[in-house]
């Protein structure tokens, strides 16, 4: 009885075996199977280092290669190039390199540049400690914002603390109008620092380009002012404003 059952099962399996033998091998095991991608491992430290390096590079580039080229075409150096000439080799130490503005109006959040248009720091000149700030005309025309002013005030406080001269390399179009009264309040803070440092440490202003509007007052309160022939201008209101108000046509040199 048992042998008959086994014979019956064998006869029922043989057709299925013959059918399976006719199916190509690759129908069971595809030789073109792509292995799954490896799992992505998020490393927060690596992501932070990558972002930090990117921000530092942006700070070094300022307003970008095109604006730097325009600066050179005008016969002017960039803010960093000026500092490299002023300070002893490898002595300059920058502060707040990645600080940017906090303005949320007029599309400003999409145009944040680390450094915010001014480079501040300390180093040595002929072996003596000196503090300095250098306005970057390639970033928003060197205009002064709230954080821009905070950086200048910080380096002036450091100059008073260590009894070192403070040198300002001015190249600015004035207040950053997008920030309104915050920018004007920043000028007030800088002027107060000029007053506090007066008679305490030497204050030296180098006017390397335009120095208009609120940017005029701070150099006027310093001990020494040096200007570059042909590219430096100091005035409270520009020729266009004078012509609009009085009808008189004047040049930057006349002002």
């Amino acid at each position: 009885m048992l042998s008959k059952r086994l014979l019956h099962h064998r006869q029922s399996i043989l057709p299925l075996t013959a059918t399976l033998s006719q199916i190509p091998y690759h129908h069971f095991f595809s030789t073109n199977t792509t292995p799954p991608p490896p799992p992505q491992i998020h490393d927060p430290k690596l992501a932070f280092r990558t972002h930090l390096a990117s921000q530092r590079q942006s700070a070094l580039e300022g307003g970008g290669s095109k604006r730097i080229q325009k600066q050179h075409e005008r016969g002017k150096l960039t803010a960093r190039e000026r500092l490299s000439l002023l300070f002893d080799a490898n002595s300059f130490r920058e502060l707040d390199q990645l600080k940017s503005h906090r303005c949320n109006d007029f599309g400003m959040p999409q145009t944040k540049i680390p450094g915010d248009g001014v480079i501040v720091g300390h180093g040595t000149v002929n072996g003596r400690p000196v503090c300095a700030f250098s306005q970057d005309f390639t970033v928003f025309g060197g205009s002064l914002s709230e954080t821009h002013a905070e950086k200048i005030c910080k380096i002036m406080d450091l100059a008073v603390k260590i009894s070192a001269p403070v040198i300002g390399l001015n190249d600015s179009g004035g207040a950053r109008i997008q920030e309104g009264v915050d920018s004007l309040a920043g000028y007030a803070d800088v002027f107060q620092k000029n007053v506090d440092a007066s008679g305490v440490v030497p204050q030296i202003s180098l006017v390397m380009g335009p120095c208009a509007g609120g940017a005029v007052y701070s150099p006027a309160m310093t001990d020494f002012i040096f200007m570059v022939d042909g590219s430096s201008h100091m005035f409270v209101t520009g020729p266009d404003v004078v012509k609009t108000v009085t009808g008189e046509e004047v040049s930057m040199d006349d002002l």
Side-chain angles (χ1 to χ4, degrees), residues 61-178:
E61 293 174 354
S65 58
K66 291 184 178 179
R67 293 179 182 176
I68 291 175
Q69 183 179 355
K70 289 183 179 179
Q71 187 85 337
H72 290 162
E73 290 173 353
R74 298 188 185 104
K76 298 165 59 178
L77 299 175
T78 65
R80 292 190 180 277
E81 290 170 344
R82 291 164 179 165
L83 289 172
S84 66
L85 291 175
L86 174 63
F87 284 91
D88 297 338
N90 301 320
S91 70
F92 183 72
R93 296 294 179 267
E94 186 175 354
L95 306 179
D96 294 343
Q97 184 186 53
L98 305 183
K99 192 168 187 174
S100 59
H101 68 77
R102 295 188 285 265
C103 181
N104 294 318
D105 300 319
F106 307 105
M108 292 297 286
Q110 288 73 42
T111 56
K112 287 190 176 184
I113 300 178
D116 203 30
V118 65
I119 303 165
V120 305
H122 59 90
T124 60
V125 176
N126 294 330
R128 297 185 178 185
V130 172
C131 296
F133 65 87
S134 181
Q135 293 177 316
D136 189 350
F137 196 78
T138 69
V139 179
F140 304 116
S143 58
L144 185 135
S145 68
E146 179 187 14
T147 53
H148 185 121
E150 288 175 353
K151 293 178 66 174
I152 294 177
C153 291
K154 182 174 183 176
I155 198 62
M156 293 181 71
D157 285 338
L158 179 61
V160 172
K161 182 177 180 179
I162 65 176
S163 299
V166 58
I167 301 176
L169 289 84
N170 297 270
D171 193 358
S172 170
R176 192 173 301 173
I177 59 175
Q178 291 91 338

